[in-house]
Amino acid sequence: MATAVTDAIGPEASPATAGGNYLTCDRSVRSWVFTLDHKRVGIMFLVTVVICLGLGALFALLIRTELTTPGPTIMTETTAKLAAALSLGDTRMTPQQMYNRAFTLHGAIMIFLFVLPAIPSALGNFVLPLQLGAKDVAFPRLNLFSYHLFVIGTLFFVVTLLMGGIDTGWTFYAPYSVETRTAVTTAVAGAFLLGFGSIFTGLNFLVTTHTLRRQGMTWFKMPLFVWSLYATAVIQLLATPVLAITLLLLAVERVFGVGIFDPALGGDPVLFQHFFWFYSHPAVYIMILPAMGIVSEVISIHSRKHIFGYRFIAYSSVAIALLGFLVWGHHMVVSGQSPLAGMIFSLLTFSVAIPSAIKVFNWLATMYKGSIALTTPMCYSLIFIFLFGLGGLTGLFLGALATDVHVHDTAFVVAHFHYQMAGGVLMAFLSGLHHWWPKMTGRMYNDKLGRYTALWILIGFNLTYFPQFILGSHGMPRRYFDYTKLLDHIPHLTLYQVISTIGGYMFVSGLVMVAVYLIASLRHGRPAPANPWGGASMEWQTSSPPPPHNFDTPPQVGDPYDFSNLVYDEELQGYVRAR
Amino acid sequence: MTSFLIRPTILADTLLRESGSFWLPPSSSSTSPAVDRVFYLILGVCSFFFLLVVSTAVLFVVLYRRRPGREAQKTATHHNLLELTWSVIPLLIVIVIFYEGFVAYMQMQAAPPNSYEILVKAQKWNWFFTYPNGHIDNDLHVPAGQPVRLLLSSEDVIHSLSIPAFRVKMDCVPGRYTYIWFQCDDPGVYELYCTEYCGDSHSDMTARVVVHRPGEFEAWLEEAANFLKKLPPAEAGKYLFTRRCTQCHSDDGTVKTGPTLKGIFGQRHAMADGGTVSVDENYIRESILDPQAKVRQGFQPVMPTFKGILTDDEITYLIEYIKTLK
């Protein structure tokens, strides 16, 4: 782009800003808790969701360890007694009840407190205004309020945990969730508040993208991460209220005994599933779309190649967002839904596969004849393609009616879902985190260690979840505490479970390693240049970390994927614009 | 170990039956081969595209890795025809998969008119199969070579009946009926699982499917209906206990979801409402028919009623058995 070459005196040459950057300008606690700076809100979200990830992973390890042997392993009479003694709500707990709570808490924490907010609220908050060349989001106070709602919602989950947890599964299916004596109402109230936080974030991003793009930035000059956040925001805004209403109805039914979902009170349990999936299916696109956005950024920048098929990728994000609203019934093929509805939902479900396939092919085409650096962010994006590819393709078994009936509610679905959510969203999150870490913190991490950890995580991940595909296609139901009775019927059942557990420990230890070297980089990492990877979008035109108002000198709008004017400067160890 | 009269011949049939493959359990119903065809079709498509994507990515990483003296080459930033091609080819493939999946699914929907009908009731955490002569069994017994239609219902929460070898599955929803049908031509014993999470003992909610050789089913049904009457009461009670009660109660002192029944007869127990109860015949009978009337202290009122499931005679057998648990 000719316009981008004209002025080369940018922040690359003078990284230090008078008055400090956004991290150092004011160090008081108050300045963080009541900040209106989108970057600080993003960092606070980041810290919070990572803590929640740790908690979710802890429950994952409890589940995996328990499943190592067919009968009770670590969840025994003794540990169940201990758990009951520690909780405020229970006097007695059986090993099965303990297991049921563990998988429910794992799912609810991971979905509501990590996977949903991780990319939009943490990374998106930090990056979106920078990529648009804006000083902040459109409604900074609302943005802060989103975070405060998130914290309050999280506290509700903590209270739920202290009260002994819940045992409904993260899907809260009625009438079980109406009847159970565990702390459903508190958990539902938490999810309700989190939902509002999510709606406000979506609204904020939507308005920001419409109104605060830097002059000259047309819709098709926006980085693809912005496109994906925009599409996500549409879903957040339209779908999340349905979840809020559903959870409210559930709470009303539990507290006041009004018959809505429980047939014993005159309600309809299948109605709950319709409501729930009307939100929760689009919600998986709230999770995966921003992930795809990150991968589009990272693959292009770290291959130093213009993204291939920009418009197809941008439109496919919007197509996924819209089609995602029409497929909820594929979760309900065996719920008693009519075969006609099943057929329509199956057909629509397959239509969502196409935009995803387009993206994968476009990413590969982007790498063609590029200059591919296997940096840590690039490794995670490649891992994303591997795992998301497998996860997406196994979705075909679930989209086709005949095979869906067979593998529905088995370990196959668990594996598919984790390939998408942990293999897709978490890997993209790690990719984005490593990609923007220098920008966020002003420090470089140990890239070599990062690459080896990524490889370790890739191996651990596949060991954990691949065996579950095989178990599931043999009919192993999900959410089974004790599989003694299945041993004679599913070949190598215990072997697969043991492999899965070993993989689980590898996977989680890899994540711990990431946390360790990233935190170490804050103290020991070398200072990051403004543009360590050679990105052309506007967040790389400001210092690392950026000043409180994002840009000391006005950033230049150009093609975000034209890297031809960026050259590596040995002295800065980063990229600068060629004069 | 405790089904009503499984003939040794059926166990032999089970052993001789073909076992499953790496991916799938044995395929034993009239509709399962069609499902398996779709499964392997998708598996083929998946494997092909997965290998295509991964090998392309690996190839590019190797060929175009960053190294001194090599710059990224400019290539087209978009190519509509190419992109349309890789949109349309997957579209055609998924349409084929959709169609195949739909056709196999429709076969599983329409039960033939001459189907043998069995009523299924799911209840935390047991299966009850009611036959036309009134016999209720915890395992599903069916004749080979005849279509069988199961009319499903639930007493409490949502359960789901899954028989992997037949590739059938359907939720049992309280407040409405659902049904499935299948026809199995290979006599033998198969597994039946509950696949919709239903609470504490979800993973104990399994049963067996006994497919009788042609002609032997009616004889079994006749015999099973009268089986308990031929046993001494306490032994009949033990038989029922191991099949209807062990999901929640033990007879050896282990505490499960419910209290153990070992040695309780004649004891006095504190109740949740503060009173005490001396365990006698009438208290046990009441606890089976109206479990929430008097709940033991320290336990939750989660037991479902067995009214309509256990006959008066069967309750008597159970009481006689509980008396023997010293």
Side-chain angles (χ1 to χ4, degrees):
Chain A
M1 284 263 122
T3 49
V5 204
T6 48
D7 190 341
I9 308 299
E12 301 99 336
S14 54
T17 315
N21 58 50
Y22 82 100
L23 292 167
T24 55
C25 61
D26 187 343
R27 290 172 189 275
S28 67
V29 174
R30 205 189 136 76
S31 74
W32 277 92
V33 175
F34 297 107
T35 183
L36 298 179
D37 184 343
H38 70 97
K39 300 184 289 301
R40 285 191 164 197
V41 173
I43 295 291
M44 290 195 294
F45 260 117
L46 181 65
V47 172
T48 320
V49 298
V50 166
I51 292 170
C52 295
L53 172 67
L55 195 59
L58 184 71
F59 282 108
L61 288 184
L62 287 177
I63 297 169
R64 276 304 346 144
T65 314
E66 173 50 46
L67 291 177
T68 313
T69 66
T73 311
I74 51 165
M75 299 184 187
T76 58
E77 294 290 334
T78 325
T79 49
K81 253 182 209 151
L82 185 70
L86 288 173
S87 92
L88 304 172
D90 294 279
T91 46
R92 255 194 91 239
M93 211 187 279
T94 62
Q96 290 106 311
Q97 287 171 338
M98 196 176 169
Y99 176 79
N100 295 345
R101 285 158 208 235
F103 77 66
T104 302
L105 287 166
H106 164 71
I109 290 171
M110 284 299 200
I111 293 289
F112 293 110
L113 302 179
F114 178 75
V115 182
L116 269 167
I119 298 181
S121 297
L123 299 179
N125 242 320
F126 189 95
V127 176
L128 178 98
L130 286 168
Q131 286 198 329
L132 291 173
K135 283 183 176 171
D136 208 311
V137 291
F139 307 119
R141 282 185 178 79
L142 192 64
N143 198 23
L144 179 66
F145 187 48
S146 298
Y147 176 69
H148 289 166
L149 279 177
F150 184 77
V151 172
I152 298 169
T154 307
L155 289 177
F156 269 86
F157 272 78
V158 173
V159 171
T160 308
L161 184 62
L162 294 176
M163 287 168 73
I166 43 170
D167 69 341
T168 59
W170 77 273
T171 46
F172 302 115
Y173 266 22
Y176 189 79
S177 56
V178 179
E179 294 174 4
T180 178
R181 279 161 186 77
T182 52
V184 172
T185 313
T186 0
V188 159
F192 184 81
L193 290 170
L194 294 170
F196 271 96
S198 179
I199 293 170
F200 292 150
T201 300
L203 181 71
N204 226 332
F205 286 3
L206 216 58
V207 178
T208 306
T209 310
H210 271 279
T211 59
L212 295 185
R213 299 195 312 277
R214 196 169 159 66
Q215 202 170 14
M217 179 181 268
T218 56
W219 282 83
F220 291 104
K221 281 186 185 169
M222 294 197 312
L224 288 163
F225 185 51
V226 176
W227 267 104
S228 71
L229 286 174
Y230 183 83
T232 305
V234 172
I235 313 175
Q236 284 175 307
L237 210 57
L238 294 180
T240 319
V242 179
L243 175 75
I245 295 163
T246 310
L247 296 180
L248 193 67
L249 290 175
L250 182 61
V252 166
E253 180 155 27
R254 273 183 71 85
V255 176
F256 301 110
V258 180
I260 300 163
F261 304 126
D262 188 350
L265 301 167
D268 181 356
V270 180
L271 181 67
F272 178 86
Q273 296 178 30
H274 279 292
F275 281 0
F276 183 83
W277 290 115
F278 187 83
Y279 164 75
S280 293
H281 196 81
V284 305
Y285 300 111
I286 296 180
M287 307 173 201
I288 202 71
L289 275 173
M292 292 166 155
I294 288 177
V295 174
S296 302
E297 296 290 301
V298 169
I299 294 223
S300 176
I301 292 175
H302 295 258
S303 305
R304 293 188 62 69
K305 261 295 291 294
H306 194 287
I307 190 82
F308 184 84
Y310 176 97
R311 285 189 185 227
F312 266 71
I313 296 182
Y315 286 138
S316 66
S317 289
V318 179
I320 290 174
L322 298 179
L323 292 171
F325 275 101
L326 306 175
V327 300
W328 78 91
H330 69 211
H331 295 268
M332 301 168 59
V333 169
V334 301
S335 69
Q337 174 180 266
S338 79
L340 176 68
M343 184 200 85
I344 293 167
F345 281 122
S346 168
L347 189 60
L348 289 168
T349 299
F350 280 117
S351 70
V352 190
I354 305 305
S356 306
I358 292 173
K359 283 185 195 251
V360 172
F361 290 132
N362 280 15
W363 293 327
L364 291 177
T366 302
M367 286 160 62
Y368 176 64
K369 292 197 175 173
S371 170
I372 300 167
L374 282 180
T375 54
T376 311
M378 186 64 178
C379 287
Y380 281 111
S381 276
L382 291 170
I383 291 175
F384 174 93
I385 294 182
F386 183 100
L387 299 178
F388 175 78
L390 201 55
L393 287 165
T394 51
L396 296 175
F397 292 96
L398 301 164
L401 289 166
T403 42
D404 180 63
V405 170
H406 177 56
V407 293
H408 183 86
D409 269 330
T410 67
F412 191 96
V413 174
V414 177
H416 162 75
F417 185 70
H418 282 86
Y419 266 87
Q420 299 294 69
M421 293 298 118
V425 181
L426 178 57
M427 295 306 139
F429 172 78
L430 289 173
S431 181
L433 185 65
H434 285 89
H435 184 65
W436 285 301
W437 184 261
K439 184 57 63 186
M440 293 173 142
T441 64
R443 298 287 180 169
M444 299 302 287
Y445 47 84
N446 187 333
D447 196 48
K448 194 173 181 184
L449 198 55
R451 282 196 297 273
Y452 284 122
T453 312
L455 182 66
W456 177 258
I457 286 180
L458 174 67
I459 297 168
F461 184 94
N462 283 298
L463 289 179
T464 314
Y465 296 111
F466 198 82
Q468 297 184 20
F469 279 127
I470 305 164
L471 291 177
S473 67
H474 275 276
M476 164 91 194
R478 66 195 288 198
R479 297 172 169 176
Y480 262 32
F481 164 70
D482 184 336
Y483 54 90
T484 316
K485 288 181 184 170
L486 281 61
L487 287 173
D488 290 342
H489 312 289
I490 297 176
H492 315 299
L493 176 50
T494 312
L495 176 69
Y496 287 141
Q497 296 280 16
V498 169
I499 293 174
S500 186
T501 303
I502 293 171
Y505 276 92
M506 283 178 70
F507 183 18
V508 174
S509 64
L511 294 178
V512 171
M513 192 67 205
V514 172
V516 168
Y517 71 71
L518 283 183
I519 290 169
S521 80
L522 294 176
R523 187 168 282 274
H524 306 291
R526 76 176 159 85
N531 193 353
W533 318 116
S537 44
M538 284 192 276
E539 79 270 32
W540 305 110
Q541 295 182 32
T542 185
S543 55
S544 301
H549 290 289
N550 291 353
F551 299 98
D552 282 338
T553 51
Q556 292 158 357
V557 179
D559 182 339
Y561 301 105
D562 179 11
F563 309 113
S564 53
N565 299 314
L566 291 158
V567 291
Y568 191 71
D569 183 316
E570 291 291 343
E571 201 178 322
L572 291 170
Q573 295 197 300
Y575 288 79
V576 291
R577 284 195 183 273
R579 282 171 193 274
Chain B
M1 69 195 161
T2 52
S3 183
F4 284 98
L5 307 164
I6 295 186
R7 286 164 206 275
T9 48
I10 291 181
L11 296 175
D13 288 336
T14 308
L15 290 175
L16 291 173
R17 199 178 67 201
E18 61 160 329
S19 58
S21 65
F22 178 78
W23 284 106
L24 291 168
S27 184
S28 307
S29 74
S30 58
T31 51
S32 61
V35 177
D36 293 5
R37 268 198 303 279
V38 182
F39 187 93
Y40 286 114
L41 168 74
I42 299 175
L43 189 64
V45 170
C46 274
S47 311
F48 173 78
F49 278 98
F50 181 68
L51 289 177
L52 179 76
V53 166
V54 171
S55 57
T56 310
V58 170
L59 185 72
F60 286 178
V61 167
V62 172
L63 284 180
Y64 309 126
R65 69 189 180 280
R66 190 168 298 177
R67 48 191 190 268
R70 205 191 151 274
E71 287 289 311
Q73 285 166 263
K74 266 214 152 68
T75 54
T77 58
H78 66 279
H79 191 295
N80 286 343
L81 188 64
L82 187 61
E83 289 176 83
L84 275 177
T85 309
W86 67 47
S87 311
V88 170
I89 292 176
L91 185 65
L92 295 177
I93 292 173
V94 297
I95 288 174
V96 172
I97 293 176
F98 161 75
Y99 179 75
E100 294 291 326
F102 172 65
V103 169
Y105 175 72
M106 285 319 283
Q107 285 182 17
M108 296 154 69
Q109 293 303 310
N114 61 335
S115 300
Y116 184 84
E117 188 160 281
I118 299 170
L119 309 177
V120 182
K121 185 155 74 175
Q123 186 181 55
K124 287 176 185 172
W125 291 280
N126 250 322
W127 294 102
F128 299 104
F129 301 97
T130 307
Y131 296 86
N133 71 351
H135 173 62
I136 300 177
D137 207 291
N138 293 93
D139 284 328
L140 175 60
H141 291 256
V142 296
Q146 187 182 349
V148 174
R149 185 175 188 265
L150 305 181
L151 189 66
L152 311 172
S153 62
S154 166
E155 272 298 284
D156 37 48
V157 299
I158 301 175
H159 302 274
S160 191
L161 184 145
S162 162
I163 308 171
F166 300 169
R167 313 285 188 268
V168 293
K169 181 178 290 135
M170 184 51 87
D171 284 4
C172 309
V173 185
R176 68 166 71 178
Y177 293 108
T178 51
Y179 75 90
I180 49 174
W181 80 275
F182 57 83
Q183 176 179 335
C184 175
D185 296 335
D186 306 333
V189 180
Y190 302 88
E191 293 307 299
L192 183 155
Y193 308 128
C194 174
T195 46
E196 182 64 67
Y197 170 70
C198 56
D200 296 355
S201 300
H202 172 49
S203 63
D204 292 329
M205 196 167 161
T206 61
R208 291 194 288 186
V209 184
V210 182
V211 180
H212 292 264
R213 288 178 174 184
E216 291 182 358
F217 175 75
E218 287 73 19
W220 165 83
L221 188 57
E222 182 64 29
E223 226 176 319
N226 298 308
F227 177 71
L228 288 176
K229 292 181 185 137
K230 293 178 187 161
L231 293 176
E235 219 166 289
K238 178 172 187 176
Y239 212 91
L240 285 165
F241 180 82
T242 50
R243 307 170 49 71
R244 306 264 156 104
C245 314
T246 44
Q247 272 83 353
C248 302
H249 299 282
S250 76
D251 53 5
D252 62 359
T254 318
V255 180
K256 294 180 163 182
T257 306
T260 181
L261 302 185
K262 184 181 162 100
I264 62 159
F265 195 84
Q267 282 180 348
R268 289 188 74 80
H269 287 298
M271 294 292 124
D273 61 8
T276 54
V277 158
S278 146
V279 179
D280 60 9
E281 286 90 346
N282 280 319
Y283 171 67
I284 296 175
R285 184 184 158 80
E286 182 189 51
S287 295
I288 291 171
L289 296 175
D290 185 10
Q292 261 64 279
K294 298 191 183 82
V295 179
R296 265 282 281 282
Q297 199 172 48
F299 292 90
Q300 293 184 336
V302 291
M303 180 169 159
T305 174
F306 283 78
K307 206 177 276 179
I309 293 169
L310 291 170
T311 63
D312 282 352
D313 281 348
E314 288 171 339
I315 292 172
T316 311
Y317 300 154
L318 276 170
I319 293 170
E320 290 309 308
Y321 175 59
I322 291 167
K323 283 181 182 172
T324 67
L325 297 172
K326 292 289 188 282

